[in-house]
Amino acid sequence: MPRMTVNGEAVEAAAEPRLLLSDFLRHTLGLTGTHVGCEHGVCGACTVLIDGRPARSCLAFAVQCEGAEIMTVEGLEEGPLHTAFRRHFALQCGFCTAGILMSLTAFLRETPRPSEREVREVLSGHLCRCTGYTPIVAAALEAADA
Amino acid sequence: MTGGERIEDRALLRGRGRFIDDLPAPPRTLHAAILRSPHAHARVGRVSAPEGVRLFSGQEIAAGLRPFIAVLRTPMRHFPVATGKVRYVGEPVAVVLAEDRYRAEDALELVEVEYEPLPAVVSPSAAIAEGAPLLHEAAGTNLANRRRFSYGDPEGAFAAADHRFAIEVRYPRSAVTPIECFGLVAAWDPDADAFEVTAPFQGPFALHPVMAAALGVPANRLRLRTPPDSGGSFGIKQGLAPYIVLMAAVARLAGRPVKWIEDRLEHLTAAGSATNRETRLEAAVMADGRVTALRYRQLEDCGAYIKAPEPATLYRMHGAMTGAYDIPNLEVENSIAVTNKTPSGLNRGFGGPQVYFPLERLMHRIADRLGLDRLEVLRRNLVKATPHRTASGALYDSGDFGAVIDLARPALDELHARRAAVRAEGRLYGVGMAAAVEPTVSNMGYITTVLEHEQRLAGGLKNGALAAATVAIDPHGGVTVTADSIPQGQGHATVLAETVARMFGLTPRDIRVVTEFDSARDAWSIAAGNYSCRFAPAVAGTAWRAAGSLRDRLARLAAARLDLPLEDIRFEGGMVGAGPDKEVPFARLAGLAHWSPGTLPQGVEPALRATEFWSPPELGPPDAEDRINASAAYGFIFDICGVEVDADTGRVRIDRYATAHDAGRLLHRPMADGQVRGGLSNAIGATLFEAFVYDEAGQPLAGTFADYPPPTACEVPDPEILHLESPSPFTPLGAKGIGEGNAMSAPPCIANAVADALGVEDLELPLTPARVAALLP
């Protein structure tokens, strides 16, 4: 019965020790905005913030997050990143998008004036099959500038 | 041209998308896990599990099914689950159900299967060689079909040619691997004797009656719905079809709804991919570089079964085998093999890469062997004017190909200068180019080109490509649009809203587009679905026509009410009429039709709902000489790129990429560019990194995204995208598709650049660092 904070709300729910954080968020809490693309930690779609740091929720067990602060895409305040993603058509199917938003949120907090190279390196932890990445890079740089 | 922000984005950015695994499951749903074959080829004996495991063996499941109907009538029967024999690693052998997915996967561990391994065959040429292990004993051969075609006088042209140049290519298997895997919920209603399935199936809906027939029910008893969102498809989710049948059958056996979510290992092993193909292409060439004939020998590898709609990959390009060139003489020999690999299926570019890679690599070689300028040889052979009928029957509808090349010419000159500068520093740099014609809106009859004409006549000549759309106006003037395409990220809602709003003089915000598809309620026919780039040319145009028919109705109503001549009625800014004092709000007009149907002027139909069907008349069946116009419209692409090869590691870096397109009228420029970038990114993956590799025993070696590495933001460049717009005369809005072209043009373009950098002739994809390093000078 792990207790944690998810998007600012205290949460306590039953979880078998083997239950992945991704499945706990999606199926126990109904926060389906976090998507699962590979379940082996490569595609990045399931990225959430655990205590402010991006992490693959498919590689963590829910019980490991006892006492942690979790942030998912549903918890992000609508801000410059969202606006820039819309303006630059930085998503198509939108399946990888939540994970990318989480990584960029943490990244831009630590690196408010990134170079294109740095943005591309952060994005290289995420697979997107639709966009060819360029519009995502442009959106991230614009959001940093905002 | 329009191009506003996407309607879809707000929900997706806030985590409010509704993908298949996000939807609530029906009460009492059980979760499925599939037991898959660890062998590429084996006899299957007893399948058993301890009591308490809800196990459904292949025998048990298939007993309630019929084999899939196929275009090619061969004794190679295909069920969605193995019966008696497994023929590829990952083939479903049994299904286990449990209360959740974790427990279902636990239960898989308890199932025991007796296998008797058999020798496997992996390459198509080995499969059709004497003494190869037979996949389907009843067929007596692994060669499913062979046909020879001749157009014009290829023999004469080869005899008269100054030169003959040839290329041999083994095009590998790859797939665009959407980030969302497969998933579905299937239920059986015993009272209605009907199945209800929700799945992000993308079409073509020609497979719907195929699925229903496999389940042994009429098509109206297979209700297929799609979730509002789909996490990418790129052709691949056509491969859901056998799983829909499999899980529907299991739901009927279990008497409970069944949910199945595929994992990535399953996806990479068994979801499906483009075909691999062995091609020998020979050209008859005159001294000036003019190509007078082409001779293709293609050996297609469809994997273990000819899974519907295969062998479509081999025939989609059949009318366009001469690519962007005016080559009057053509010979084609097509063979189709089965091997112990995953059955092939739709994948972005569908059949194009396998043709353009040898063709565009050969054009490059012809110029080099003759010592001529590569662009000059390309131009000399280019189709000079449209409309143009190719030797094998395609009708290129519009565009000036040379003018598109001119768009990219300055970039090409710059690249040549850059190459000289980089080479002067002792580094390896190459420039490549490729031209391609991009077919869009598939003719439902092209697959029958694989049959003899007598067989086609006996089965009824198949042709056309029906698109359907419905527009409805509610009593407050709100407009709702549904259409027969299944969006997988292409922004259909945005384009349909903009298109229909324009017809009514409304704003896109006034239009509601419902993208969930329901086979029981929506208008559709067999061509329905999201493939062959049919959305912009066919579906959006059909919605435009449906809106137009309602607009005509409303215009007559407005003319009568305002006492104006019909031709004066305009739709602008939410008003209908002829300017101030002589107009009525759109909403009020709509209300009249709903509330006062008894007092409408004579001849005005009250119904404010219109369904339109459209099929391009240019899409006839294959003729007696096997000529086929396989697509309704043809775009043109000219790509150039500069690559640098690391002389130590063999790593290929794309330094610059420019791509010039004529896709007819662009409905939404930013999204059209998005399709170009996405297609190019997929092609870069297929060219440099990705391949489904099997060992000699038929074991797949790429089961994770670490072994099958799609490109990341560090490998995909920002391309320069150039457009000309020559509207198609054959589509309602003049639009053509643009989403697949770069998947066809980029592999040879990049490979030509690498060949130029290394000074080598033969290259095999993917151009991984290890492979390139072995070629380093």
Side-chain angles (χ1 to χ4, degrees):
Chain A
M1 197 73 107
R3 280 172 300 184
M4 62 187 90
T5 310
V6 178
N7 299 332
E9 272 181 46
V11 163
E12 185 172 2
E16 285 183 37
R18 65 174 176 172
L19 185 69
L20 299 176
L21 177 60
S22 51
D23 287 335
F24 179 74
L25 292 169
R26 290 178 47 76
H27 301 304
T28 308
L29 303 184
L31 294 170
T32 55
T34 299
H35 297 148
V36 176
C38 73
E39 289 179 300
H40 54 259
V42 180
C43 81
C46 69
T47 302
V48 299
L49 302 185
I50 303 179
D51 293 328
R53 304 174 70 110
R56 308 290 208 228
S57 64
C58 78
L59 295 185
F61 293 115
V63 293
Q64 285 176 286
C65 300
E66 171 75 36
E69 278 187 33
I70 312 288
M71 172 82 88
T72 71
V73 67
E74 290 95 339
L76 287 182
E77 261 180 62
E78 172 117 28
L81 208 47
H82 297 86
T83 311
F85 265 61
R86 287 202 305 273
R87 271 180 32 75
H88 287 274
F89 300 89
L91 62 156
Q92 288 182 27
C93 80
F95 199 78
C96 68
T97 310
I100 290 175
L101 290 175
M102 301 319 290
S103 279
L104 286 177
T105 297
F107 170 68
L108 293 177
R109 204 158 47 209
E110 283 177 21
T111 317
R113 289 283 173 274
S115 66
E116 177 179 336
R117 189 75 238 163
E118 289 173 306
V119 170
R120 284 190 181 266
E121 269 165 25
V122 168
L123 288 175
S124 73
H126 295 268
L127 296 179
C128 168
R129 287 303 224 169
C130 295
T131 64
Y133 302 107
T134 292
I136 306 176
V137 175
L141 290 171
E142 182 176 286
D145 227 24
Chain B
M1 192 185 77
T2 45
E5 281 190 6
R6 298 197 335 158
I7 290 170
E8 293 85 349
D9 289 354
R10 226 163 256 278
L12 291 170
L13 285 165
R14 301 307 306 275
R16 293 195 289 258
R18 286 173 296 157
F19 298 87
I20 180 69
D21 194 27
D22 303 342
L23 305 180
R28 286 172 49 76
T29 294
L30 290 171
H31 294 258
I34 300 174
L35 186 75
R36 294 175 182 273
S37 170
H39 300 285
H41 199 188
R43 279 186 215 296
V44 183
R46 221 169 80 87
V47 180
S48 59
E51 207 163 321
V53 174
R54 289 192 181 91
L55 170 71
F56 300 87
S57 72
Q59 289 296 5
E60 207 178 333
I61 297 166
L65 296 176
R66 298 173 195 174
F68 286 113
I69 301 167
V71 175
L72 272 177
R73 302 289 160 110
T74 69
M76 301 180 179
R77 300 202 311 168
H78 179 212
F79 287 97
V81 61
T83 59
K85 252 175 79 163
V86 287
R87 295 180 175 87
Y88 62 96
V89 172
E91 181 167 8
V93 171
V95 173
V96 165
L97 299 181
E99 297 299 329
D100 64 38
R101 190 170 166 223
Y102 286 69
R103 283 170 180 76
E105 289 182 13
D106 288 346
L108 280 190
E109 308 276 321
L110 302 172
V111 180
E112 296 210 10
V113 184
E114 290 170 2
Y115 292 106
E116 180 197 325
L118 298 166
V121 63
V122 172
S123 89
S125 40
I128 62 170
E130 197 79 25
L134 284 180
L135 273 84
H136 302 266
E137 284 85 351
T141 174
N142 294 325
L143 180 66
N145 180 269
R146 174 169 286 161
R147 280 214 72 194
R148 291 188 181 87
F149 305 89
S150 182
Y151 305 94
D153 179 18
E155 299 246 334
F158 272 98
D162 296 327
H163 306 276
R164 292 172 167 213
F165 298 116
I167 187 168
E168 292 188 12
V169 167
R170 284 188 297 172
Y171 202 86
R173 289 188 156 213
S174 65
V176 184
T177 64
I179 302 302
E180 179 193 44
C181 288
F182 290 177
L184 61 84
V185 177
W188 179 59
D189 177 347
D191 304 310
D193 190 20
F195 295 97
E196 299 227 356
V197 180
T198 306
F201 177 66
Q202 63 148 62
F205 274 73
L207 294 176
H208 183 277
V210 171
M211 291 186 267
L215 287 164
V217 295
N220 64 357
R221 297 195 187 271
L222 171 60
R223 183 178 189 178
L224 181 53
R225 281 181 279 197
T226 65
D229 294 299
S230 170
S233 178
F234 319 104
I236 298 298
K237 282 177 182 160
Q238 165 261 327
L240 267 159
Y243 291 106
I244 289 171
V245 173
L246 176 64
M247 292 303 168
V250 171
R252 178 165 57 186
L253 287 171
R256 303 260 299 259
V258 170
K259 178 172 177 176
W260 171 66
I261 301 294
E262 179 191 53
D263 72 23
R264 184 57 63 182
L265 173 61
E266 292 182 282
H267 187 89
L268 292 173
T269 315
S273 69
T275 59
N276 55 299
R277 188 179 298 176
E278 296 178 4
T279 300
R280 182 172 198 279
L281 172 61
E282 189 180 17
V285 186
M286 304 312 285
D288 64 355
R290 213 157 29 85
V291 178
T292 53
L294 290 177
R295 178 179 283 152
Y296 281 90
R297 193 155 297 163
Q298 304 190 100
L299 174 56
E300 182 84 323
D301 180 354
C302 282
Y305 301 91
I306 314 288
K307 181 177 81 173
E310 295 288 27
T313 310
L314 187 55
Y315 282 90
R316 185 209 192 178
M317 293 297 296
H318 194 78
M321 298 300 285
T322 47
Y325 308 115
D326 184 5
I327 303 173
N329 307 296
L330 172 69
E331 192 179 298
V332 179
E333 180 192 277
N334 281 342
S335 305
I336 301 163
V338 289
T339 61
N340 291 111
K341 302 208 293 286
T342 302
S344 58
L346 271 61
N347 186 55
R348 195 174 201 167
F350 198 52
Q354 294 93 329
V355 168
Y356 282 115
F357 193 81
L359 180 57
E360 292 305 295
R361 293 282 295 118
L362 183 59
M363 293 305 285
H364 175 111
R365 175 172 299 184
I366 288 168
D368 286 5
R369 293 269 182 98
L370 295 176
L372 298 172
D373 179 73
R374 292 173 191 148
L375 182 62
E376 189 48 41
V377 168
L378 190 155
R379 269 191 189 277
R380 210 162 276 173
N381 287 290
L382 206 62
V383 166
K384 298 288 182 300
T386 54
H388 170 84
R389 181 73 75 175
T390 67
S392 49
L395 180 59
Y396 295 170
D397 51 315
S398 68
D400 176 347
F401 296 180
V404 178
I405 290 176
D406 289 340
L407 282 182
R409 187 64 207 253
L412 185 61
D413 293 340
E414 287 167 29
L415 275 183
H416 284 144
R418 177 151 171 77
R419 176 176 66 186
V422 175
R423 283 183 177 177
E425 293 169 23
R427 285 143 62 197
L428 297 169
Y429 197 95
V431 175
M433 66 181 88
V437 160
E438 177 177 1
T440 63
V441 187
S442 283
N443 183 342
M444 291 291 99
Y446 79 73
I447 301 161
T448 62
T449 317
V450 70
L451 304 174
E452 303 286 340
H453 195 59
E454 295 66 38
Q455 294 173 298
R456 288 197 293 263
L457 287 171
L461 293 177
K462 298 187 173 58
N463 61 86
L466 270 176
T470 300
V471 177
I473 308 175
D474 66 40
H476 285 162
V479 180
T480 301
V481 183
T482 57
D484 71 346
S485 184
I486 320 294
Q488 308 132 0
Q490 296 97 336
H492 290 180
T494 302
V495 174
L496 287 173
E498 289 183 356
T499 301
V500 170
R502 207 163 67 240
M503 179 64 84
F504 291 128
L506 300 172
T507 67
R509 191 188 296 269
D510 301 318
I511 316 295
R512 174 94 201 279
V513 181
V514 178
T515 53
E516 297 105 300
F517 180 85
D518 181 344
S519 71
R521 309 188 71 142
D522 286 315
W524 63 277
S525 178
I526 57 158
N530 187 5
Y531 62 96
S532 78
C533 285
R534 69 187 282 278
F535 174 73
V539 180
T542 304
W544 171 255
R545 289 161 64 104
S549 111
L550 283 188
R551 181 184 145 125
D552 289 347
R553 238 171 258 179
L554 288 170
R556 280 198 297 277
L557 181 52
R561 183 167 178 85
L562 298 167
D563 201 16
L564 288 168
L566 186 58
E567 55 272 21
D568 288 359
I569 302 295
R570 291 188 307 272
F571 289 69
E572 274 172 19
M575 303 298 286
V576 183
D581 306 333
K582 288 183 291 180
E583 59 186 9
V584 54
F586 181 86
R588 185 158 171 70
L589 207 53
L592 268 179
H594 281 281
W595 291 107
S596 318
T599 56
L600 295 186
Q602 225 179 355
V604 175
E605 206 188 319
L608 288 188
R609 181 187 182 91
T611 295
E612 193 85 8
F613 279 85
W614 175 79
S615 180
E618 292 76 19
L619 295 183
D623 69 12
E625 279 77 46
D626 294 313
R627 284 182 295 244
I628 176 66
N629 184 27
S631 304
Y634 298 83
F636 177 74
I637 311 167
F638 181 64
D639 279 5
I640 59 171
C641 76
V643 304
E644 182 167 0
V645 179
D646 187 306
D648 295 320
T649 64
R651 179 172 175 268
V652 175
R653 183 181 65 82
I654 298 171
D655 179 48
R656 185 171 173 188
Y657 203 102
T659 178
H661 287 252
D662 188 340
R665 189 163 156 248
L666 298 178
L667 303 186
H668 190 290
R669 170 73 192 262
M671 278 200 262
D673 287 350
Q675 288 298 309
V676 170
R677 289 196 190 92
L680 177 61
S681 164
N682 302 155
I684 289 169
T687 307
L688 299 181
F689 309 109
E690 302 167 28
F692 288 111
V693 180
Y694 291 77
D695 72 9
E696 282 173 13
Q699 285 293 332
L701 302 180
T704 71
F705 273 144
D707 315 300
Y708 187 90
T712 76
C714 291
E715 290 89 37
V716 179
D718 180 9
E720 296 155 68
I721 305 170
L722 306 157
H723 294 285
L724 268 192
E725 297 187 44
S726 311
S728 172
F730 302 149
T731 68
L733 297 169
K736 310 184 188 190
I738 196 166
E740 291 190 274
N742 290 95
M744 305 178 182
S745 57
C749 181
I750 297 167
N752 282 341
V754 173
D756 184 50
L758 300 176
V760 299
E761 279 211 323
D762 288 309
L763 290 173
E764 190 168 336
L765 299 187
L767 297 167
T768 56
R771 202 170 260 166
V772 174
L775 299 169
L776 284 170

